[in-house]
Amino acid sequence: MNSPTTKIAVFGAGSIGCYLGGLLKSQDADLVFIGRSRLQHAVKQNGLTLTHFQNAPIHLGAEKVTIKTSSSALSDCDLILLCTKSQDTALAAQDILKHAKPGAHVISCQNGIRNVAVLKEELGTAFKVSGAIVPFNVTPNGSASYHCGTGGTLHFEHNLPDDVCLAFNKAGQATQYGGNFEGDQWAKLLVNLNNALNTLSGGTLRESFSQKDYRRAFACVIQEGLDVAKTKDIEVGRFNGHSPKAVIKLLKLPNVLYRILMDHIVKIDAKARSSMLDDLEIGRKSEIEYLQGEIVRQGKILGVETYANSNVLDAINTAFEKGMSPKLSGTEILKLVKK
């Protein structure tokens, strides 16, 4: 007897949502995207295209992609991949309460470490809530086209339905489940602190990391995050197979050694850059409060100094107020974070 097909909603169809949903839809998953009208119009005109720095592109014709602009489309879904920005989690939860069927599984595919707790507080026991760690970078690459510029394994806190897991794997996206999920989520948070630094530099990730002082600045903000986690008795895990402590050692290497090791350890597309920089350039709100802001907030509670992250937080808030990156050099960013 065949297992029932899982009805999936991607709630918050931005770059990550369109990429995850597009992978599933390429394998004929029963899926609806819930997003803005401009996405609906773009897909109607161009279909949905996913590109990857290593894999073959995927193009889905408009007839294969269902996009709704109302959260009422959640009503018959079994699995909800929540891909909104972290600052919109509470509002999204209210829409889920209003429209989704009780018992649906809501998975936070968002940055930060607070979203699952917010969802559980808002949704109560009527829904199953868990987290996911999305390891790769996705940026818009034209109208209804999204480019994945880094690799990694999707990490889910709890198992997915068999048909959803199979669809991801057939689409070429590896998945894993369980383990030290909280620790691995912290590891991702610490690595994601680079989103802000890349936004301050205004260039690609490759351009940023080619500068030794930029890497030293990144090491500083990670170390503060590790200090906060240690004080909280968090066993920080791994992100894309690497611990933040190991990342710090790598970041401090001379340029020649760094480039040799990076070519073997992490593959980064030449065009890849942070989603925060994209948000800045298109006028969206920043997620900084859920990245550097989280480290600073918890540091204040625990009495842990967060000088570097505090300064980055202030600089990002200023950049978003002005609507443009200050385009700082690695040396200037290092001066910002070092006493």
Side-chain angles (χ1 to χ4, degrees):
M1 184 176 179
N2 293 330
S3 300
T5 300
T6 304
K7 175 72 174 179
I8 308 164
V10 171
F11 190 13
S15 295
I16 291 294
C18 283
Y19 194 81
L20 294 179
L23 290 177
L24 294 171
K25 196 62 191 173
S26 73
Q27 303 303 314
D28 297 319
D30 187 0
L31 181 144
V32 59
F33 295 90
I34 302 173
R36 300 178 187 274
S37 57
R38 64 172 176 265
L39 174 65
Q40 189 180 55
H41 177 74
V43 170
K44 184 177 180 180
Q45 297 295 315
N46 306 297
L48 178 64
T49 300
L50 311 180
T51 56
H52 190 280
F53 75 111
Q54 288 181 313
N55 302 336
I58 295 171
H59 179 75
L60 302 170
E63 72 283 356
K64 291 197 67 173
V65 183
T66 301
I67 299 179
K68 301 292 185 181
T69 58
S70 170
S71 50
S72 62
L74 296 167
S75 62
D76 61 346
C77 293
D78 309 300
L79 181 68
I80 300 169
L81 301 180
L82 183 60
C83 301
T84 64
K85 294 294 183 179
S86 295
Q87 58 264 29
D88 297 325
T89 300
L91 287 174
Q94 294 304 310
D95 281 338
I96 291 169
L97 270 176
K98 182 177 180 180
H99 296 291
K101 64 182 182 182
H105 185 180
V106 182
I107 302 179
S108 166
C109 302
Q110 304 156 284
N111 284 333
I113 57 174
R114 269 191 277 163
N115 292 297
V116 169
V118 171
L119 288 168
K120 286 181 177 180
E121 182 178 350
E122 295 288 339
L123 298 177
T125 59
F127 297 88
K128 179 180 179 180
V129 177
S130 65
I133 299 171
V134 179
F136 40 76
N137 169 278
V138 179
T139 57
N141 190 34
S143 186
S145 179
Y146 299 92
H147 180 71
C148 180
T150 56
T153 299
L154 273 173
H155 185 177
F156 291 93
E157 186 176 7
H158 299 307
N159 287 350
L160 292 173
D162 289 343
D163 61 325
V164 181
C165 179
L166 183 62
F168 271 128
N169 293 338
K170 281 187 172 181
Q173 178 56 57
T175 54
Q176 68 180 79
Y177 307 91
N180 177 23
F181 186 82
E182 181 186 29
D184 290 348
Q185 198 171 40
W186 263 85
K188 183 197 175 185
L189 169 64
L190 299 187
V191 172
N192 277 168
L193 296 176
N194 178 58
N195 288 6
L197 301 191
N198 180 238
T199 302
L200 294 177
S201 77
T204 67
L205 294 175
R206 276 189 178 275
E207 290 167 346
S208 296
F209 281 111
S210 69
Q211 304 172 67
K212 184 179 179 181
D213 282 349
Y214 180 97
R215 300 196 304 272
R216 291 172 63 196
F218 187 24
C220 288
V221 296
I222 292 178
Q223 185 59 61
E224 284 186 353
L226 284 170
D227 293 343
V228 170
K230 181 179 180 180
T231 307
K232 284 180 64 67
D233 292 324
I234 299 292
E235 182 185 348
V236 177
R238 292 173 176 268
F239 180 66
N240 272 343
H242 307 290
S243 72
K245 287 183 179 179
V247 171
I248 287 176
K249 291 180 180 179
L250 179 64
L251 292 170
K252 291 183 177 180
L253 290 174
N255 284 338
V256 174
L257 288 176
Y258 174 81
R259 288 168 189 154
I260 292 171
L261 287 175
M262 281 300 291
D263 285 341
H264 288 87
I265 294 174
V266 180
K267 304 296 183 183
I268 301 177
D269 183 79
K271 301 176 186 176
R273 59 189 210 157
S274 76
S275 59
M276 188 181 292
L277 180 54
D278 291 331
D279 289 341
L280 174 61
E281 291 185 351
I282 62 179
R284 289 179 181 161
K285 291 183 179 179
S286 163
E287 279 191 305
I288 191 67
E289 290 296 335
Y290 297 85
L291 299 173
Q292 266 77 7
E294 186 71 36
I295 301 301
V296 172
R297 184 180 68 86
Q298 297 212 24
K300 287 179 179 177
I301 294 170
L302 298 166
V304 177
E305 185 176 58
T306 57
Y307 177 87
N309 283 283
S310 294
N311 284 356
V312 173
L313 174 66
D314 290 342
I316 286 293
N317 285 334
T318 298
F320 272 79
E321 287 171 7
K322 293 182 176 179
M324 60 186 295
S325 169
K327 297 189 181 299
L328 302 180
S329 68
T331 300
E332 289 170 323
I333 293 173
L334 182 60
K335 287 179 181 178
L336 180 70
V337 303
K338 292 280 282 186
K339 280 191 172 182

